[in-house]
């Protein structure tokens, strides 16, 4: 017998709320930010065939759906509080739901995050999460705070053998697509695909960067494309700021280093699905950024500098220009 709507909510998505005054089961949930805090709110939708492949393990799908939302809180320097889960399901498949819930709950528990409500309906597989965090009034990291002369930084895993380096999600996607010329041995693929399926949101780093970074964004659509949002929003009177970026300074995994230079550049600069933090800070705060990285056990790498003149200049360590022909990802243009 298949599960009914309320049975499946009760079985898989009803858990005691630990820090929220009221969780799943009433018409509204109640969230209580601490005094002096602003609520930070973000929604992300994951659609089968668009954002994930039907073959992904349900547990990883749960992890990723929550991770991409946590990444938005991280980019604002907000502390996670609670989230809601709106689900469209083709059928009430108990095994699928148990896996999905395991992935969600495991990551939520690591961030002390309550699932406080949602909606459940029949339909093509689609997950829409809304996440709520808190940040001291006026302390949120914004896209609009970069200044000429600021250093540009990107986060990365600490160890070379850790999964999820910049560009690796895109490299995994190219393997799935069967792109010729890749240098990815079969036994390396299971590790590589973790970048695409199990991103690690940089929540601790976001918190540590409050009061240090001048602007921040999380890289979801490709580093250069997302950087344009920062440059545009930070420029005076609608004129974007510019950037000079050293492509050889970009952090990368040993497997990425084995690829052709052209593929490395495309994955690192225009890959997408990275969920690293891209942020700026005044040169005087260089040491404070390093300390924030250490406090949050997250790698941080300085990759360039913000300029008053508009324009994106990418060069390698010899000073040669690197071509950047990629348009940023756009759901209605790609
Ligand atoms: P309403 O009709 O008042 O919107 P529902 O009958 O849709 O409420 O849902 C009952 C309760 O279960 C509500 O508290 C709602 O927030 C919660 N809920 C529904 N779907 C989910 C889900 N997928 N995950 C978590 N909570 C859910
Ligand atoms: Mg409802």
């Amino acid at each position: 017998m298949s599960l009914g709507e309320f049975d499946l909510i009760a079985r898989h998505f009803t858990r005691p709320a630990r820090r929220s005054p009221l969780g799943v089961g009433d018409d509204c949930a109640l969230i209580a930010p601490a005094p002096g805090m602003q609520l930070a709110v973000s929604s992300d939708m994951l659609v089968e065939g668009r954002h994930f492949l039907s073959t992904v393990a349900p547990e990883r799908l749960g992890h990723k759906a929550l991770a991409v939302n946590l990444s938005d809180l991280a980019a604002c320097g907000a502390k996670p509080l609670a989230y809601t889960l709106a689900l469209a399901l083709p059928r009430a498949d108990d095994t699928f739901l148990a896996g999905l819930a395991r992935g969600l709950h495991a990551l939520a528990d690591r961030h002390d995050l309550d699932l406080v409500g949602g909606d459940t309906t029949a339909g093509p597989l689609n997950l829409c999460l809304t996440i709520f965090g808190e940040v001291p009034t006026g302390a949120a990291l914004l896209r609009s705070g970069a200044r000429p002369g600021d250093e540009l930084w990107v986060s990365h895993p600490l160890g070379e053998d850790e999964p999820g380096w910049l560009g690796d999600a895109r490299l995994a996607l190219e393997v799935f697509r069967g792109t010729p010329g890749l240098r990815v041995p079969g036994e390396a693929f299971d590790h590589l695909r973790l970048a695409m399926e199990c991103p690690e949101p940089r929540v601790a780093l976001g918190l540590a960067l409050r009061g240090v970074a001048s602007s921040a964004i999380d890289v979801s659509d490709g580093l250069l494309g997302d950087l344009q949002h920062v440059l545009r929003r930070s420029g005076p009177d609608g004129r974007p700021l510019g950037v000079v970026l050293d492509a050889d300074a970009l952090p990368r995994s040993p497997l990425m280093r084995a690829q052709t230079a052209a593929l490395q550049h495309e994955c690192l600069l225009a890959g997408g699905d990275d969920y690293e933090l891209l942020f700026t800070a005044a040169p005087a705060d260089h040491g404070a950024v390093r300390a924030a990285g250490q406090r949050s056990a997250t790698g941080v790498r300085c990759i360039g500098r913000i300029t008053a003149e508009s324009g994106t200049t990418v060069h390698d360590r010899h000073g040669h220009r690197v071509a950047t022909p990629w348009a940023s990802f756009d759901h209605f243009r790609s």
Side-chain angles (χ1 to χ4, degrees):
M1 204 187 68
S2 75
L3 282 177
E5 175 184 338
F6 297 100
D7 305 322
L8 83 83
I9 296 168
R11 181 177 303 180
H12 296 296
F13 303 115
T14 305
R15 314 173 81 216
R18 288 155 305 179
R19 33 206 316 243
S20 308
L22 184 62
V24 168
D26 213 306
D27 292 308
C28 289
L30 297 173
I31 303 171
M37 296 290 206
Q38 290 176 320
L39 269 186
V41 183
S42 178
S43 289
D44 261 295
M45 183 151 67
L46 276 83
V47 176
E48 181 170 14
R50 258 277 147 193
H51 301 97
F52 59 92
L53 307 166
S54 57
T55 48
V56 67
E59 192 163 348
R60 290 192 178 178
L61 179 59
H63 174 100
K64 183 162 178 181
L66 186 53
V68 303
N69 279 272
L70 280 165
S71 181
D72 284 321
L73 288 188
C76 287
K79 183 162 155 252
L81 288 176
Y83 75 103
T84 62
L85 170 65
L87 263 183
L89 300 166
R91 69 198 77 79
D93 175 338
D94 200 40
T95 311
F96 171 84
L97 288 167
L100 182 75
R102 248 196 330 274
L104 286 165
H105 299 332
L107 184 59
D109 288 347
R110 274 169 49 203
H111 291 277
D112 207 12
L113 181 70
D114 285 334
L115 172 56
V116 293
D119 198 22
T120 305
T121 170
L125 185 57
N126 182 330
L127 293 85
C128 182
L129 279 69
T130 299
I131 196 163
F132 302 84
E134 64 179 11
V135 59
T137 300
L141 303 175
L142 305 180
R143 297 177 177 186
S144 54
R147 293 295 167 259
D150 279 358
E151 290 176 325
L152 179 68
W153 298 77
V154 70
S155 61
H156 62 84
L158 267 190
E160 286 224 317
D161 49 349
E162 266 182 63
W165 287 75
L166 191 71
D168 280 358
R170 172 60 177 274
L171 187 56
L173 184 64
E174 295 299 330
V175 175
F176 271 114
R177 284 173 171 165
T179 303
L182 302 178
R183 298 163 188 164
V184 180
E187 67 276 11
F189 181 57
D190 278 342
H191 187 71
L192 180 68
R193 72 189 292 180
L194 289 170
M196 186 169 86
E197 298 178 348
C198 285
E200 187 61 45
R202 304 297 183 199
V203 175
L205 177 63
L207 292 174
L209 287 173
R210 288 202 305 228
V212 175
S214 53
S215 75
I217 190 170
D218 67 317
V219 182
S220 54
D221 296 336
L223 188 146
L224 283 186
D226 287 327
L227 179 56
Q228 303 309 311
H229 298 302
V230 172
L231 299 176
R232 265 189 229 114
R233 294 193 67 117
S234 297
D237 339 304
R239 197 165 41 82
L241 298 176
V243 66
V244 178
L245 195 153
D246 177 359
D248 285 327
L250 290 164
R252 68 199 75 187
S253 64
L255 197 57
M256 182 62 72
R257 262 182 244 127
Q259 309 306 316
T260 62
L263 182 65
Q264 289 189 46
H265 287 148
E266 180 158 9
C267 290
L268 294 167
L269 293 165
D273 248 1
D274 295 300
Y275 305 105
E276 295 296 351
L277 292 189
L278 182 67
F279 57 97
T280 56
D285 288 324
H286 192 96
V289 170
R290 294 222 167 283
Q294 261 165 15
R295 248 189 349 269
S296 59
T298 312
V300 288
R301 183 85 48 89
C302 182
I303 58 170
R305 194 176 277 267
I306 304 297
T307 61
E309 279 132 65
S310 306
T312 297
T313 305
V314 183
H315 59 79
D316 64 15
R317 66 177 167 280
H318 309 296
H320 299 138
R321 281 291 281 264
V322 171
T324 57
W326 322 284
S328 181
F329 185 77
D330 181 323
H331 278 286
F332 296 101
R333 297 218 172 104
S334 305

